[in-house]
Amino acid sequence: MADDCPYFTMKLVKGRTLAALLAARKTPTEDRGRHLAIFESVCQTMAYAHSKGVLHRDLKPANVMVGAFGEVQVVDWGLSKVLRRGGVADEKRAKESLHSVIETVRSGPRGAHGSSGSDSLVGSVMGTPAYMAPEQAQGEVEKLDERADVFSLGAILCEVLTGKPPYEDGGADSVVVQAARAMLDPARARIEACEADAVLKRLCLDCLMPAKTARPANAEEVARRVHDY
């Protein structure tokens, strides 16, 4: 700038969020093919990120932008993490720095109204509780890998299929407890009862497994299963 202050530019992303599109439906079955196509694009984006050793850690419909011509972009990477094998230091080194937390505009609380289960939390528990893997909700930062994002993909698919994320919104603290304890029985019942094909139900349930070793290994595997369907 004129006063020597640095700046950078970013692409202006126009469109509607997947959250807005899902909220506009009259029933979860409405435009399901379109929403599944959007979901597949999200999986492909995350497959690329995972191939580079990058986790998003805040995947949710509100962080998926859909353009006027169907283009899909995963946004808000403010809580992303680079795995050690990606060649860049992660939280352990960041904790030694004065700037240990990356926060984006949408990651903060809703002003005087406080936060809810769909807001991002910054701190030892990073992400959005309603879509969060158990290990992430427990603050096990060093143990997170691609399967934390896989859980969140399953949570998005759960909302596409049933109209709701896995955990019922009872305020941020309540949802964090549900996520940390993997209280998924109501979500499983909703998934089993929905009108989707059995293949989609199975994929959703596999992604939402409490034990991360039981989930698909990464977003590429999820994308392949969606594509095959």
Side-chain angles (χ1 to χ4, degrees), residues 8 10 58 60 63 75-79 102-111 119-122:
F8 66 96
M10 297 175 65
D58 199 15
K60 55 186 176 183
N63 283 343
V75 300
D76 208 346
W77 295 76
L79 297 181
I102 299 174
E103 184 172 357
T104 61
V105 174
R106 285 192 298 281
S107 297
R110 294 178 181 173
D119 285 328
S120 303
L121 300 180
V122 179

Side-chain angles (χ1 to χ4, degrees), residues 150-151 153-154 202-209 215-216 222:
V150 165
F151 186 97
L153 289 173
R202 184 71 265 157
L203 173 60
C204 190
L205 292 169
D206 286 350
C207 291
L208 293 177
M209 291 296 286
R215 298 173 210 151
V222 181

Side-chain angles (χ1 to χ4, degrees), residues 111-140:
H113 301 292
S115 61
S116 74
S118 61
D119 285 328
S120 303
L121 300 180
V122 179
S124 59
V125 177
M126 299 183 184
T128 301
Y131 304 88
M132 193 183 292
E135 64 272 19
Q136 191 170 351
Q138 292 164 12
E140 298 178 347

